[in-house]
Amino acid sequence: MLERARRAYREACGTEPVWGAVAPGRVNLIGDHTDYTGGLALPMAVDLWCAAVGGPAREAGRVRIVSADRGEGAVLEWAEGESGVLGEAVGRLPRGHWARYAAGVMAECEAAGAGVPRMDVAVAGSVPIGSGLSSSAALEVAVATLVEEAAGVRLRPLEKARVCQRAEHVWAGVKCGLMDQMCSVMGREGHALLMDFAEATAMPVAMPADVAVIVADSGVRRGLGEGAYGRIVEECERAREALGVGSLREVRVEEVEGIEGRLERGLARRVRHVVMENRRVEEAAAALRAGDVVRCGTLMVRSHESLRDEFGVSCGELDAMVEILTDGASAGESGVYGARMTGAGFGGCIVAAVAPWAVEDAVARLTDEYRRRCGRACDVYRVRASGGARGARLG
Ligand code: GLA
């Protein structure tokens, strides 16, 4: 990955980069659409990466940002009379341009007081783009880590995640929660992270040795910037206001039954999912700690049903994948403990917990059946829980 980023840098700038950094994508095992309401989630950083390399800007007053795999690059330039802060130039990049994520992070690092050297940047990644595995967060966190390397500063992990989240809010226009950025910063090898967004904490939970994690990409794409995600975030906020609570986390499981009388139907469904999903996350973390992968798998399937039926963010292709893996045979026979859509939804990926001996079979079944039922191919990855972002020496 670093090598591809280096090559892109060399082609664009004609020199060798000086600093390097890598940051992982993530897969969320359980707990979706809970982070922006102060809830719980259980993601793990995965061994799919974004690499960023940089070197002092070649031309005064111009900063280049290029990518090996995201299409055309961008140049940051300043007009006469501007003060020369990064934000001024980033604001002129076209809306929806991928470089807003990278340059936005540099601008937010600068706004947070980290002296950001004017550097040309190249990125390359193996996280499939826009598939729900946090390709954006990996890009953001890789650039933030590159800034740390170049400026010789160390941001505190939570601060770094927040800077990246702010970049996504301000410069990409997506009002995301904090899960993806925290996971990419704080990932721990061999562990999932139990995240509590009321406190913004992440507690490592060891992944049992007898479970393999598979991710399958439906190939269906719908960007978060298109508005559906933002509307859901707003609905959850309206539900919070209507209930008169500080955060949806305060709504107890026992209150969920009667919630319909207190809220309009659409909002009640949002709240029911969020409250029950938080409970499922707690139970899944406890099950993993106890090595009870069967229970964990059952909770994953319940989570999928809730995201499909209550929350309404799944789609036919994701439902088909989950069905192919979990219908019929028991977990004991098929070795598939559970599966669910993962991330924001509307396409993207599913995640499955599978016995290591059953991986090959499950992958073959999924690939064949998915093509037959949905008429398209799916990419399947076996992923491993990996460490978080780090600086990389360019030797
Ligand atoms: C996206 C957002 C996250 C989170 C998930 C859904 O990945 O970036 O903050 O809200 O969707 O769980």
Side-chain angles (χ1 to χ4, degrees):
M1 211 68 50
L2 267 172
E3 200 35 56
R4 282 179 47 235
R6 269 173 101 149
R7 213 174 312 135
Y9 185 94
R10 238 180 266 134
E11 272 165 27
C13 307
T15 53
E16 283 293 321
V18 181
W19 309 288
V22 292
R26 64 100 188 90
V27 67
N28 191 17
L29 297 175
I30 191 163
D32 271 311
H33 290 280
T34 48
D35 61 346
Y36 51 81
T37 51
L40 300 169
L42 188 64
M44 67 184 211
V46 295
D47 49 348
L48 297 168
W49 300 87
C50 178
V53 299
R58 291 281 309 229
E59 298 167 68
R62 278 168 74 90
V63 165
R64 275 169 204 283
I65 302 180
V66 298
S67 162
D69 36 36
R70 284 180 178 261
E72 206 174 315
V75 177
L76 305 181
E77 284 175 304
W78 287 265
E80 276 283 319
E82 284 187 328
S83 64
V85 297
L86 282 159
E88 288 166 340
V90 182
R92 273 193 295 275
L93 295 180
R95 279 191 181 284
H97 196 295
W98 69 266
R100 277 184 163 249
Y101 288 86
V105 167
M106 290 160 66
E108 290 304 316
C109 285
E110 187 170 78
V116 180
R118 294 294 171 261
M119 59 177 165
D120 296 324
V121 174
V123 299
S126 58
V127 190
I129 293 169
S131 69
L133 299 178
S134 287
S135 51
S136 320
L139 170 60
E140 292 153 12
V141 174
V143 171
T145 310
L146 183 69
V147 167
E148 289 181 311
E149 292 292 300
V153 294
R154 281 282 163 270
L155 302 171
R156 277 177 294 117
L158 184 57
E159 188 188 349
K160 184 164 152 185
R162 284 205 198 293
V163 162
C164 293
Q165 180 196 33
R166 208 154 48 234
E168 189 152 340
H169 284 202
V170 174
W171 302 107
V174 180
K175 299 275 185 265
C176 60
L178 198 51
M179 166 169 67
D180 307 345
Q181 293 79 7
M182 267 175 76
C183 196
S184 186
V185 172
M186 300 175 189
R188 171 93 76 95
E189 209 173 314
H191 292 72
L193 299 172
L194 174 57
M195 295 192 172
D196 182 333
F197 299 99
E199 317 272 343
T201 53
M203 222 161 12
V205 178
M207 289 299 287
D210 55 350
V211 61
V213 178
I214 289 179
V215 167
D217 189 343
S218 66
V220 179
R221 294 284 182 271
R222 187 150 140 206
L224 299 190
E226 286 166 38
Y229 181 85
R231 277 195 297 279
I232 293 172
V233 174
E234 272 167 33
E235 282 175 21
C236 289
E237 175 56 17
R238 267 175 40 219
R240 183 198 65 76
E241 267 177 19
L243 292 171
V245 288
S247 106
L248 291 186
R249 183 72 175 282
E250 292 168 30
V251 182
R252 283 173 295 126
V253 169
E254 305 76 57
E255 291 174 80
V256 159
E257 277 312 309
I259 212 94
E260 211 102 85
R262 299 169 63 195
L263 288 176
E264 61 187 82
R265 189 149 169 272
L267 299 191
R269 292 171 59 180
R270 299 256 172 259
V271 175
R272 265 205 308 267
H273 164 76
V274 167
V275 174
M276 301 313 291
E277 186 82 344
N278 286 336
R279 163 66 70 87
R280 282 187 288 270
V281 172
E282 271 172 341
E283 285 186 29
L288 275 190
R289 286 192 176 115
D292 188 349
V293 284
V294 172
R295 175 71 189 145
C296 187
T298 305
L299 291 160
M300 289 170 78
V301 175
R302 297 282 164 277
S303 166
H304 182 78
E305 290 163 354
S306 179
L307 287 159
R308 181 189 65 198
D309 303 335
E310 290 277 27
F311 216 69
V313 293
S314 188
C315 66
E317 288 84 351
L318 293 171
D319 296 342
M321 287 190 165
V322 170
E323 273 169 37
I324 291 165
L325 285 174
T326 58
D327 269 8
S330 69
E333 287 165 37
S334 71
V336 177
Y337 301 121
R340 60 184 285 280
M341 57 152 274
T342 183
F346 318 110
C349 286
I350 60 136
V351 58
V354 180
W357 55 262
V359 168
E360 216 172 299
D361 230 49
V363 171
R365 192 147 44 89
L366 187 56
T367 326
D368 293 351
E369 274 282 293
Y370 185 65
R371 190 188 296 278
R372 201 178 57 73
R373 278 173 65 164
C374 298
R376 57 200 302 167
C378 61
D379 291 328
V380 188
Y381 313 79
R382 178 171 178 180
V383 292
R384 289 184 171 73
S386 81
R390 53 179 188 266
R393 191 163 310 153
L394 303 180

